Structure formats: structure tokens, C-alpha cells
Amino acid sequence: MYTLTGLELKNPTILAAGVLGTTGASLCRVAREGGAGAVVTKSIGPEPKYGHPNPSMVQLDCGFLNAMGLPNPSYAEFVQELEIAKKDSGVPVIASIFGGNSEEFAEVAQGLLPGRPDAFELNLSCPHAEGYGAAIGSNPCLVETVTAAVKEVTDLPVWVKLTPNVADITAIGKAAQAGGADAVVAINTVKGMAIDIESGYPVLGNRSGGLSGAAVKPVAVKCVYDLYAALEIPVVGVGGVSSWEDAVEMMMAGAAAVQVGSAVYNRTDVFSEISSGIETFLQRKGYSDVRDFIGLAHEAI
Amino acid sequence: MLPLNATIEKIIEESPFIRTFVFDHRFEEMEPGQFVMVWVRGVDEVPMGLSRKNSITVQNVGEATAKLFELKEGDSFGLRGPLGKGFSSPAAGENILVIAGGVGAAPLAPYAEAASAAGAKVHTILGARSGGDLLFEERFAAAGALDITTDDGSKGTKGFVTDVLKKLDVSSYDNIAVCGPEVMMGFIFKILQENEVLDKSEFSLHRYFKCGIGVCGACCIDRSGLRVCKDGPVFSGVQLVDSELGKYARDASGRRVKI
Ligand SMILES: Cc1cc2nc3c(=O)[nH]c(=O)nc-3n(C[C@H](O)[C@H](O)[C@H](O)COP(=O)(O)OP(=O)(O)OC[C@H]3O[C@@H](n4cnc5c(N)ncnc54)[C@H](O)[C@@H]3O)c2cc1C
Ligand SMILES: Cc1cc2nc3c(=O)[nH]c(=O)nc-3n(C[C@H](O)[C@H](O)[C@H](O)COP(=O)(O)O)c2cc1C
Ligand code: FES
């Protein structure tokens, strides 16, 4: 068992927000068949949103590009999905939420409480939704206010998910910590774009979007490394993790746990594979616990 | 993969609202039942079953399909695929029942042809609103026995595919492949369940697709959580027991919508 901001996880792999998280049944499948230690829901907002037109996600040689546009059924409609996930997944369920301002964030958090989530993750980092996500998450003052506003309405742990599309991610992390965040999650996708050379059209319906998968792993490792050094609260590492080696690397940079998103493309049981790989690594190295190597890179001088 | 550029070689008017677009790329490795994401540039990208290795067959129902209907031979669109899991491969000597309703005949025509080519015995029940709306009648007829039903009785039996199905001994088939409007598939599912042949049946489902590659979760069905775009679109009847089939689907936001 791993304890993270008071949540008990059977292993340190967590399903990342926005991936296979639109329905309760899907979250349960990732937990039960996939072996995830915890799951994060799709980011949920105040009103139903259809998202951007397709193509909303394409695979590249080096990773994936997506611009979903925060499609979600609204908190009022999502409560029933959260209830299903809580009842049948057998793991902690973290509700990812977004809003256009502090009031909306607080409204969504309160609206989801009847579904009994185990924690909230604030999406202050989506790079391609006008007025939401990174529009707030690149401003330290707003990050602190929004975090404090959600802490105000709930006693549950609050994680804040950060965007790498800023000059100094640690300034944003510190703002979240000052607002009372229990952990930060890094990173969301890196701004990106692809153009169809036959026609000149940008491939994504939203024209541009966010890069994920293997291509962003070094970016994520560096962000996690810097945040670990700068903050007191735990850092959850996400971005390009698809194997136990990636997970160990992210943890050596300072991640207390890892989230996995795009890698479900190849196999939904990637979580079991990563956690058993970590177990084998612990034994081979004679470590008693992952805590023995979390942040190890900071000591290797 | 990024969308490949497909140029339209031929447009076939199948019925007033259905057209086949034959393009210059052949998906040689395609399994019948697999689909492609069709990118109508500047508009939308929508899933379409492959009606041949090099064609899609489209019913004009809304924005993207209307735009497709404006395209001429020589115009192009983007294609990603083939995606998803198709029908299981039929073997020589097997007895196959194909049940196709409306544009659901699109992915089933290549299946019926593959079954016939493999040496299976194919029997198709093809349904549509009226005689003029029947899709791929000749292709199914060439693959084996064919029963036709139309809602208005203008051709074949007046009524629904289920009216013919109810008279058959379904236990005599090795595989029953179904695609059509959800209400029709819901009724067929019940009949096949009552006859205890779900393990020998396959249904091709449609749900709202966003990524089309099994990552976003928009197309997951209850209660299994299976992804229609990646674990399907073709599912064994057994996988659909206690599912949402025929009851509700989800719109692009994820809200449940009654069928
Ligand atoms: C696996 C699969 C195979 C399909 N094969 C065929 C086929 O061979 N021939 C055919 O004519 N149709 C097929 N469809 C249905 C086809 O995708 C829709 O008719 C098409 O998307 C309509 O787009 P539109 O913009 O014209 O309509 P809209 O005006 O956008 O909507 C009309 C209807 O189409 C559905 N739709 C719209 N966008 C999508 C989307 N991204 N994913 C799924 N459904 C959508 C909506 O739910 C709505 O009910 C298939 C669907 C799936 C899931
Ligand atoms: C299809 C898709 C949808 C996503 N939706 C969300 C979302 O709703 N909220 C969010 O905070 N992050 C979202 N993300 C970002 C991921 O949670 C994750 O931070 C990012 O993809 C990097 O991890 P990965 O390389 O493991 O995918 C999404 C990513 C993808 C690929
Ligand atoms: S459409 Fe994204 S998982 Fe199926």
C-alpha cells in the first residue's frame, strides 16, 4: 500500500485525467482489469460541453496530439458515473474538475461531492480550451485563488495539475502550495500542432492542441525534478510514462506516484505491467519501498 | 498515424440518400467490419465502415456527410484506418447468417463476400425502408441466399428483418453477423438471447467517436466499459449481455441519450 495525500493506493500507478474517464464503467474497467492503483475522471465542468470538432486526437511517430476541448456532461450528470466508479472500481477515485473562475471551480467541486470522490484534481492546465485550464493555470495569482476556493468548500485532498507551457513551472507550483494544495500533478500536454501537407489544413479540428506520449517524457521528468526541489507537497508525475522503466525514472526525478494516459492506446493493462515491473526492480535493487528511490536523482551528484 | 490523403475515383449513387465513394487507396489488410475515420477537411472527421478495401458507403444524415455528398470525383478527403476489430473470419463449410438493416449493409457486404469466398454457406436478410433504399442487393445475392424485407412492402416481405428471423432455426448457423439501426439490433439481440445463440452472434455497434483509437473514452459502453472504437465495433453477443444496447447511447458530451 502506498499512501498519497491520505489516499491508500495498492500501487503507485494512476489513470491520468481525460483518458478512458468519461463513464463510471470505463473507470472500473481500468481499475479492475487494467490494474490502476487509482483513477482520475475526465475533467468535469459546470455545463455540458461537446468539445472541439474532430479530428480531436491523432497519433504521431513520436507521441499523440489531441484537442478534445474538455467535452463533459456537466457535474450534475456526472455524479451518477462517479457513484458507479466509487461502488465498483475498488480504488480511490479522483474527480478532475475545471471552471472559468474560482466560483465555478467551487460549484463543480460541491456539485460532485454527493458522488463521494476521494480527492479533487484541479485542471489548471488544459492548453486548448479558451478561458479554461492553462488560461488560468499560467497565472500564479489565479492558481492560488482557485486552489484556496476549492479547499474552502471541501476537506478532501486537492491536487493541482500544472501546465508545462509556462516559463517557470515552479512559480505556479508554489502558488498552488500557497493556496493549500495537497499535491501537484505535472504535466498536462505540451502545446503542439500538425499540418496536413496535401491540403495545408491543420490536422486537429481545433487547429492546434497538446502533445502527449513518449515525446513529452523528458519535458515531464524535468518539470517533476524542478517541482520536487521547490515544493514541500508531493508531486505526481505524468507525461510519456508507458513502462516500469519510465515510472522509475519519473520517481527518481521526485514523483511520489505516476499517472499514465496515452499509453492505454497499446494496452489497458499497462498499469499492472508497470506496477509489477516496479516490484521486480525493488527486489533486484534490494529496496524495501519505492520511497527509497523517490527523488534519488537529486542526491546523485 | 496521420490521415492519409485519399482521392475519390468513383462515386456510386446507391439510393437517394446513400452514396459509395471509391478511393485510390486499398486497405489490403482490412478485416470486414473495420472502419476508417473520414476527415472532411475544415468540417469534421467521422467513422465509416469499409464497404470494400477501397470504398466507404455513406448515408447523408448531417453536416459532415452532407459535405461529403458535395464532393466530386477527383476531390479528396483524409482517412485514418483501418481501425477496430472486425467480424471473425468465416471458415469453409460454415453456415453463416447475415442480418443487415439500412446502411448497416455497408460493412456486411465485404463480410458476406469473404465468407462465400472462404467456402462458407451464406444466407442474408437485407432490410430497408423501401425497395429503392436497399443497399448492395446484388453483392449479397451473389454471396448466397437472400431474403429481402421492406417497411412499406415495395420489395420482398413487408415488415422488418426480425419477421424473417423469427421463422428461422437460428441454432443451425455457425455465426450470425448483425449491423443496422440500434432499435433493430436491440430486437435481434433479444431473439438470439432467447434462442441461446449469443455465443454464435456478432453485432457491429455505433457510438459517438472522438479519438477513434481507444484513448479518450468517449465511446465506452455500459456496463463492461468496453471501447466501441477499439475493442469493437464488432462485439460477440456474449459481450453485450446486460449492456446498454438498445437502451441508451451517449452524445458528444458524454450525456446519456435514450435510444
Ligand atoms: C463504427 C462506425 C461505423 C459507421 N459506418 C457507417 C457507414 O458505413 N455508413 C454511414 O453512412 N454511416 C456510418 N456510421 C455513422 C456515421 O459515422 C454518422 O452517420 C456520421 O458521423 C454523421 O456525421 P454528420 O456530421 O453528417 O452528422 P451529424 O449532424 O453530426 O449527426 C448525425 C448523427 O450522426 C452521429 N455522429 C456524428 N458525429 C459522429 C462521430 N464522430 N462518431 C459517431 N457518430 C457520429 C450523431 O450521433 C448523430 O446521431 C458509422 C458509425 C460508426 C461508429
Ligand atoms: C485524449 C486526452 C484527453 C485528455 N484530457 C484531459 C483532461 O480532461 N484533463 C486533464 O487534466 N488532462 C487531460 N489530458 C492530459 C493527460 O491527463 C496527461 O496529462 C497528458 O496526456 C500526459 O500524459 P501521457 O503522456 O501519459 O498521456 C488528456 C490527454 C489526452 C491524450
Ligand atoms: S472514440 Fe476515443 S476511445 Fe473510442
Side-chain angles (χ1 to χ4, degrees):
Chain A
M1 278 291 176
Y2 299 82
T3 310
L4 180 62
T5 67
L7 309 190
E8 298 277 320
L9 274 59
K10 62 178 194 285
N11 70 63
T13 67
I14 304 171
L15 174 70
V19 172
L20 300 183
T22 304
T23 71
S26 172
L27 291 163
C28 291
R29 179 172 179 233
V30 172
R32 293 215 304 262
E33 294 169 34
V39 291
V40 183
T41 69
K42 176 73 200 162
S43 291
I44 302 300
E47 299 291 338
K49 249 168 93 77
Y50 293 121
H52 297 313
N54 277 351
S56 49
M57 182 171 186
V58 290
Q59 187 180 19
L60 310 172
D61 292 337
C62 62
F64 297 87
L65 262 184
N66 91 83
M68 308 302 300
L70 296 173
N72 82 95
S74 79
Y75 65 80
E77 190 82 9
F78 193 72
V79 167
Q80 60 181 336
E81 305 298 335
L82 198 50
E83 282 168 352
I84 293 168
K86 277 295 294 176
K87 188 165 148 280
D88 293 331
S89 68
V91 302
V93 180
I94 297 111
S96 172
I97 63 173
F98 75 92
N101 52 45
S102 304
E103 291 73 35
E104 282 187 5
F105 268 95
E107 176 194 340
V108 177
Q110 279 179 304
L112 288 174
L113 283 173
R116 298 165 34 84
D118 294 282
F120 287 107
E121 183 178 286
L122 313 189
N123 180 356
L124 292 171
S125 44
C126 182
H128 45 74
E130 199 84 356
Y132 295 110
I136 297 175
S138 44
N139 178 333
C141 294
L142 290 177
V143 169
E144 184 174 340
T145 327
V146 167
T147 309
V150 176
K151 286 297 287 184
E152 186 89 352
V153 298
T154 176
D155 296 329
L156 294 174
V158 173
W159 301 359
V160 175
K161 181 150 174 202
L162 307 177
T163 173
N165 304 310
V166 290
D168 178 10
I169 198 170
T170 63
I172 311 293
K174 283 178 187 157
Q177 182 172 275
D182 297 275
V184 293
V185 181
I187 57 176
N188 208 310
T189 54
V190 178
K191 279 187 190 183
M193 186 169 185
I195 295 166
D196 173 46
I197 62 165
E198 287 294 332
S199 64
Y201 272 94
V203 174
L204 292 174
N206 185 51
R207 305 184 72 79
S208 68
L211 184 64
S212 65
V216 307
K217 196 186 74 174
V219 180
V221 169
K222 169 65 172 159
C223 289
V224 167
Y225 183 87
D226 290 348
L227 288 163
Y228 179 83
L231 305 184
E232 261 100 72
I233 55 178
V235 183
V236 177
V238 51
V241 175
S242 72
S243 66
W244 68 265
E245 290 94 332
D246 296 335
V248 168
E249 184 182 1
M250 199 65 95
M251 292 169 106
M252 287 186 173
V258 296
Q259 292 184 352
V260 179
S262 306
V264 303
Y265 170 78
N266 291 320
R267 45 201 194 286
T268 42
D269 62 354
V270 58
F271 303 91
S272 314
E273 208 177 284
I274 293 176
S275 58
S276 65
I278 293 175
E279 284 306 318
T280 314
F281 179 73
L282 285 174
Q283 281 165 21
R284 173 157 69 80
K285 290 291 202 176
Y287 292 130
S288 57
D289 195 306
V290 289
R291 254 161 268 157
D292 293 349
F293 64 81
I294 290 174
L296 185 66
H298 295 262
E299 293 154 33
I301 299 174
Chain B
M1 88 224 36
L2 284 173
L4 64 86
N5 187 62
T7 302
I8 302 169
E9 285 185 333
K10 199 159 99 188
I11 298 177
I12 305 164
E13 194 93 28
E14 307 283 2
S15 77
F17 298 101
I18 300 180
R19 276 184 202 167
T20 293
F21 298 83
V22 181
F23 41 80
D24 65 348
H25 181 87
R26 287 179 70 83
F27 293 102
E28 292 298 348
E29 73 285 28
M30 150 285 212
E31 301 166 11
Q34 282 191 306
F35 69 96
V36 284
M37 292 298 285
V38 182
W39 179 31
V40 189
R41 295 180 179 105
V43 183
D44 203 352
E45 186 195 39
V46 292
M48 291 288 159
L50 284 165
S51 57
R52 290 184 190 83
K53 285 180 175 167
N54 61 339
S55 74
I56 51 169
T57 298
V58 181
Q59 183 168 20
N60 185 351
V61 296
E63 197 191 358
T65 49
K67 203 79 193 171
L68 269 171
F69 269 52
E70 288 173 18
L71 298 183
K72 308 264 174 300
E73 289 171 5
D75 288 343
S76 67
F77 42 66
L79 286 180
R80 290 191 290 146
L83 300 169
K85 194 186 135 291
F87 294 101
S88 52
S89 323
E94 279 185 344
N95 232 344
I96 306 282
L97 179 63
V98 172
I99 311 176
V103 78
L108 283 170
Y111 172 73
E113 285 166 352
S116 162
K121 199 166 146 239
V122 182
H123 175 193
T124 301
I125 312 174
L126 177 64
R129 257 178 314 189
S130 73
D133 297 318
L134 287 164
L135 182 59
F136 296 142
E137 193 183 331
E138 301 77 25
R139 292 176 72 186
F140 288 112
L146 176 62
D147 275 309
I148 284 172
T149 69
T150 52
D151 300 4
D152 64 3
S154 53
K155 192 155 189 187
T157 310
K158 179 172 165 37
F160 303 113
V161 290
T162 41
D163 297 329
V164 174
L165 176 65
K166 279 182 204 152
K167 294 185 189 135
L168 298 178
D169 172 16
V170 288
S171 66
S172 67
Y173 296 98
D174 298 297
N175 197 32
I176 302 172
V178 189
C179 187
E182 180 119 353
V183 175
M184 172 195 119
M185 292 203 287
F187 282 124
I188 293 173
F189 183 87
K190 267 194 210 126
I191 294 171
L192 300 184
Q193 188 170 36
E194 280 158 17
N195 285 281
E196 297 177 6
V197 293
L198 284 182
D199 57 327
K200 294 194 290 183
S201 70
E202 291 181 308
F203 293 78
S204 182
L205 268 53
H206 29 265
R207 282 294 176 267
Y208 201 94
F209 286 3
K210 286 180 177 286
C211 73
I213 54 174
V215 177
C216 76
C219 66
C220 294
I221 51 168
D222 288 345
R223 296 173 33 203
S224 59
L226 291 167
R227 301 160 295 181
V228 174
C229 74
K230 181 114 171 188
D231 304 304
V234 177
F235 293 101
S236 151
V238 178
Q239 289 174 292
L240 299 173
V241 173
D242 284 333
S243 76
E244 67 184 43
L245 176 72
K247 300 184 188 101
Y248 61 88
R250 285 172 201 270
D251 68 12
S253 77
R255 262 181 307 181
R256 297 182 190 188
V257 188
K258 274 210 169 70
I259 297 289

